[in-house]
Amino acid sequence: MLRFILIRLGQAIPVLLAIYTITFFMVRLSPGSPFSEERKVAAHIIENQKAYYGYDQPVHIQYFTTLFRHLKLDLPPLTSHPGLTSADIISEAFPVSLELAAWAILIALLFGIPAGVLAAARQNTALDYAPMSLAMIGICLPTFVIGPILALVFGIWLQWTSISGWSSVQDRILPSLTLGLFYAAYIARLTRGGMLEILSSDFVRTARAKGASEFRAVVVHALRGGILPVVSFLGPTLAGLITGSFVVETIFQVSGLGRHFVQAAFNQDQSLILSTVLFYATLIMLANLAVDVLQVLLNPRLRLS
Amino acid sequence: MRLSPNLATEQTAPRSLWREALRRLADNRLAMMGLGFFIFVTLFSFAGPLVYHVSPDRQVLALDSTLPFTTAELVEVRFDPEKETPDEITTVEDFAEVYALDPQSDVAALSTGEPQLINGILFTPTTSFHLLGTDIKGRDMLARLMRGGRISLSVGFLATLTALLIGVTYGSISGYIGGRLDAFMMRCVDILYALPFLIFVILLMVLFEDFEYKILLVFIAIGAVEWLTMARIVRGQVIHLKDQDFVAAAKATGVSTFHIITRHIAPNLLGPVVVYATLLVPAVILLESILSFLGLGMQAGTESWGSLIQEGQQSMRSAPWQLIAPSLFFSATLFSMNFLGDGLRDALDVKSAKD
């Protein structure tokens, strides 16, 4: 197990390097510069700025300088937030995005798994069709359609929740729901599929034959195997939750990392862009690794390779 | 009861894979409903303007955010009577207040439906009917929805085509040649898979914001993101096909490589490629709309459904139909295309396309 984790971490290095390189040159080759201001500024001031932020060096030197600074976690100062480093921005904004993602995934699991189990246990009845039709709707409705509509109905018409910000409990309801509902729908469908397969297998039949109650057969015996597809879906989910929060953070004006990233891109703040992209990529890779490990723990038949 | 004399021949008549798949597709009610709605949306967006003669750019500021199903009495104002298009369109009340010399008689004169010349200005009575109301700037929502549909669908198809071209070429080369080149090419795909893509698309759109042909940029950005899965599917299929007996037989009889690829491999690739492509179109439309929603997609004049939804969100307090109408059309289109794609997959029964 340890060996597997180490190999996977080793494989992540060239990927991160590739991501760093692509982002670096994409940002550098784009027209525009972080110093183009609307106000006219004397040329020598811009020269000084460029020198301070290291933009006066040849590109290949800049490439290696920033690379080493990132490796040492000594992050360069930001052009869009003078006096701050990307570490400051990330440590301030990431907890917000993380909390949003955590609520969303909680909602997705709380709604999705019971709905899927119920649908599978009562296959081809109303209890199957109703949640599955809802799930189909949930999958086809993108967050930027659900979000504004939820805000319209619950925030404006019914006035039950607030529609922007991230300070009170009320503020958290709609963003978390918006982000979570799509995944709830997906998880419900996956759980139903997984459960149907397991429920017809021999060991569940044996358990039933030995007198286990229907509840025990479904929840104790079948569930562990039945949610395996859900676990393998969690990897892409985590990645999707992180990037999906861009849209949700925009709709509900939550100042998480996604909004900072879009802002940094608009401001051409190259070091914040680089740090954020690297941060996201690392996070996604760690999440995928964690999911792979979890999968093996749940299903010993899978070998780590 | 009488048996049909043709029964035996009917049963043994050869049926091609495609005809069989079409028959299965036709039996799938959801997929057929999807196809029906998809045809409707395409006609609505592209042929709609032929029936509904309202320009999406015609702006009547006096009619901002009018409710759906509203007919308004309006007056066209022409300072230069020779001009084709009116200089201003205003309501009857504004006409009476601002221009009319003797409001009562002038308004009465207009109500006969005849153009009136007052102080050298030509006034023509007109009505405007708005099936879905107007937006915040007094433009017809239905006309804007039609144009949004044209943009969204075009992006969907063209970007899918881009992704198909890159993906199929890349995947077939990788699969057919095999060996080290294959290993290298697939590692590249793996690395690209690990990238957080929305991030790169956003970066691309922002960094090249001033680029003149934004629509081209959208195609490139989306096409570049979406070809990866296509390449994998095609590669898997090619590897599977090239070891089959009929390819070996073709090789043994001296058929050229070009011929093997075009005559023997390509037709067999068609199934999974078609299925993946039908599922890709809604995915691409969704991606483009997310970009437009974030304000990074199309420019003014080429708004897609995504930008309409974003505009609608801003005015949803006072005019909720401006949000609801584009949301409904957009979601229903995504629905129908996903149903159609799923149905096609079931009909062709290509499990590999799911990968």
Side-chain angles (χ1 to χ4, degrees):
Chain A
M1 180 66 98
L2 190 67
R3 221 190 92 146
F4 166 77
I5 294 176
L6 286 178
I7 290 176
R8 282 285 295 268
L9 287 178
Q11 283 171 344
I13 292 169
V15 175
L16 284 176
L17 194 65
I19 290 176
Y20 169 80
T21 311
I22 294 173
T23 317
F24 181 87
F25 284 102
M26 221 165 122
V27 174
R28 249 341 109 84
L29 290 177
S30 71
S33 110
F35 306 110
S36 51
E37 284 187 46
E38 289 180 14
R39 209 152 39 90
K40 265 270 181 230
V41 181
H44 71 274
I45 292 183
I46 293 191
E47 287 310 309
N48 282 343
Q49 273 186 317
K50 282 191 174 168
Y52 177 68
Y53 292 108
Y55 286 86
D56 53 343
Q57 309 279 335
V59 172
H60 63 278
I61 306 259
Q62 287 183 33
Y63 174 81
F64 288 110
T65 330
T66 45
L67 179 60
F68 285 124
R69 292 192 80 157
H70 274 105
L71 286 179
K72 286 191 292 181
L73 289 180
D74 160 32
L75 299 174
L78 300 178
T79 50
S80 63
H81 300 74
L84 295 179
T85 65
S86 3
D88 299 326
I89 301 283
I90 293 176
S91 62
E92 184 202 321
F94 179 61
V96 175
S97 294
L98 189 67
E99 196 194 327
L100 174 60
W103 284 121
I105 211 149
L106 197 68
I107 288 172
L109 293 174
L110 276 183
F111 282 102
I113 292 184
V117 170
L118 190 71
R122 295 279 175 273
Q123 197 190 355
N124 294 332
T125 66
L127 281 178
D128 180 12
Y129 295 135
M132 284 308 117
S133 317
L134 275 180
M136 193 66 213
I137 296 174
I139 286 171
C140 291
L141 283 179
T143 44
F144 74 93
V145 171
I146 297 188
I149 297 222
L150 285 181
L152 179 66
V153 175
F154 295 105
I156 293 176
W157 288 347
L158 297 173
Q159 306 245 327
W160 289 353
T161 58
S162 71
I163 56 169
S164 66
W166 190 255
S167 42
S168 65
V169 180
Q170 275 215 337
D171 293 342
R172 286 162 163 77
I173 298 173
L174 288 186
S176 315
L177 261 183
T178 306
L179 196 53
L181 281 182
F182 169 81
Y183 294 99
Y186 221 101
I187 285 175
R189 295 222 315 180
L190 286 174
T191 310
R192 178 177 179 272
M195 289 299 286
L196 280 180
E197 208 166 293
I198 298 281
L199 281 175
S200 61
S201 65
D202 290 340
F203 73 92
V204 177
R205 191 151 24 112
T206 311
R208 279 184 178 142
K210 287 172 78 179
S213 68
E214 183 62 23
F215 181 81
R216 206 180 143 76
V218 171
V219 175
V220 178
H221 293 274
L223 191 59
R224 179 171 152 148
I227 59 168
L228 269 177
V230 176
V231 176
S232 42
F233 174 66
L234 281 182
T237 304
L238 290 171
L241 280 174
I242 294 166
T243 45
S245 63
F246 281 8
V247 176
V248 174
E249 284 171 17
T250 307
I251 299 174
F252 296 102
Q253 293 165 30
V254 176
S255 48
L257 200 50
R259 262 187 113 199
H260 275 287
F261 171 74
V262 176
Q263 220 47 54
F266 275 117
N267 293 334
Q268 301 248 354
D269 188 334
Q270 308 189 347
S271 43
L272 187 52
I273 293 175
L274 261 177
S275 312
T276 325
V277 171
L278 281 178
F279 183 76
Y280 273 134
T282 316
L283 213 63
I284 290 172
M285 261 180 279
L286 287 180
N288 282 333
L289 177 61
V291 165
D292 287 350
V293 171
L294 195 63
Q295 239 175 330
V296 175
L297 291 181
L298 276 175
N299 185 3
R301 269 180 301 178
L302 277 177
R303 288 277 154 71
L304 293 170
S305 55
Chain B
M1 201 172 85
R2 200 167 61 92
L3 282 174
S4 156
N6 290 330
L7 197 63
T9 49
E10 261 174 36
Q11 270 178 342
T12 50
R15 266 188 273 180
S16 77
L17 168 83
W18 284 96
R19 189 170 303 177
E20 188 69 12
L22 276 182
R23 194 187 54 75
R24 261 187 305 221
L25 186 67
D27 285 345
N28 185 333
R29 212 185 303 160
L30 276 181
M32 286 332 267
M33 274 162 58
L35 180 65
F37 187 79
F38 172 64
I39 293 173
F40 163 73
V41 163
T42 314
L43 284 177
F44 166 81
S45 305
F46 288 92
L50 300 177
V51 185
Y52 192 73
H53 299 282
V54 180
S55 156
D57 293 320
R58 182 175 184 256
Q59 202 179 350
V60 184
L61 281 171
L63 285 183
D64 61 325
S65 299
T66 44
L67 280 160
F69 302 104
T70 306
T71 310
E73 301 282 325
L74 294 170
V75 184
E76 285 183 12
V77 185
R78 258 172 247 209
F79 296 105
D80 176 4
E82 308 285 300
K83 253 171 79 173
E84 291 265 326
T85 49
D87 291 297
E88 195 186 326
I89 301 173
T90 178
T91 55
V92 176
E93 292 79 43
D94 283 350
F95 162 75
E97 208 170 288
V98 180
Y99 297 106
L101 301 173
D102 175 6
Q104 271 197 331
S105 70
D106 283 346
V107 169
L110 264 185
S111 66
T112 60
E114 293 299 313
Q116 300 289 318
L117 202 63
I118 302 171
N119 266 354
I121 305 172
L122 184 73
F123 296 94
T124 316
T126 172
T127 57
S128 92
F129 173 66
H130 299 285
L131 195 63
L132 290 181
T134 60
D135 72 355
I136 200 158
K137 287 177 181 148
R139 289 172 293 186
D140 185 78
M141 276 307 290
L142 184 61
R144 296 196 78 205
L145 261 183
M146 284 175 183
R147 184 165 71 187
R150 284 202 292 282
I151 303 286
S152 280
L153 292 176
S154 313
V155 170
F157 283 105
L158 291 174
T160 300
L161 209 64
T162 320
L164 274 187
L165 280 178
I166 306 175
V168 171
T169 320
Y170 195 95
S172 349
I173 293 174
S174 178
Y176 197 78
I177 295 178
R180 274 198 193 158
L181 184 75
D182 177 38
F184 171 75
M185 286 172 86
M186 281 303 120
R187 280 299 82 69
C188 292
V189 170
D190 285 345
I191 289 183
L192 289 175
Y193 251 115
L195 300 182
F197 258 120
L198 191 59
I199 292 180
F200 276 93
V201 177
I202 289 177
L203 260 188
L204 195 68
M205 299 304 299
V206 175
L207 296 180
F208 294 89
E209 225 193 343
D210 303 328
F211 190 64
E212 202 175 337
Y213 304 100
K214 198 110 185 214
I215 196 160
L216 202 67
L217 203 58
V218 174
F219 292 150
I220 295 172
I222 296 177
V225 173
E226 299 286 352
W227 64 271
L228 295 170
T229 312
M230 193 74 244
R232 278 198 176 170
I233 293 172
V234 170
R235 171 181 170 267
Q237 196 73 7
V238 168
I239 287 179
H240 168 71
L241 284 172
K242 76 175 180 185
D243 294 332
Q244 300 269 301
D245 291 340
F246 68 91
V247 176
K251 268 188 192 150
T253 48
V255 178
S256 71
T257 309
F258 178 76
H259 244 78
I260 291 181
I261 291 176
T262 52
R263 287 287 159 77
H264 298 285
I265 307 253
N268 283 297
L269 284 177
L270 216 57
V273 169
V274 165
V275 169
Y276 184 66
T278 29
L279 290 169
L280 194 54
V281 173
V284 167
I285 291 180
L286 180 60
L287 188 53
E288 189 279 320
S289 293
I290 289 180
L291 289 178
S292 292
F293 184 81
L294 291 174
L296 300 169
M298 298 304 182
Q299 287 149 317
T302 50
E303 296 99 336
S304 70
W305 280 334
S307 20
L308 291 183
I309 294 175
Q310 188 215 10
E311 283 177 28
Q313 192 211 351
Q314 274 153 17
S315 52
M316 67 183 174
R317 243 173 236 278
S318 51
W321 65 91
Q322 292 171 8
L323 167 67
I324 293 170
S327 299
L328 267 181
F329 264 88
F330 179 76
S331 321
T333 308
L334 285 193
F335 258 111
S336 68
M337 286 182 169
N338 279 316
F339 280 136
L340 183 60
D342 278 343
L344 207 58
R345 175 165 62 206
D346 292 345
L348 283 166
D349 198 31
V350 267
K351 293 274 189 296
S352 59
K354 263 190 159 169
D355 180 36

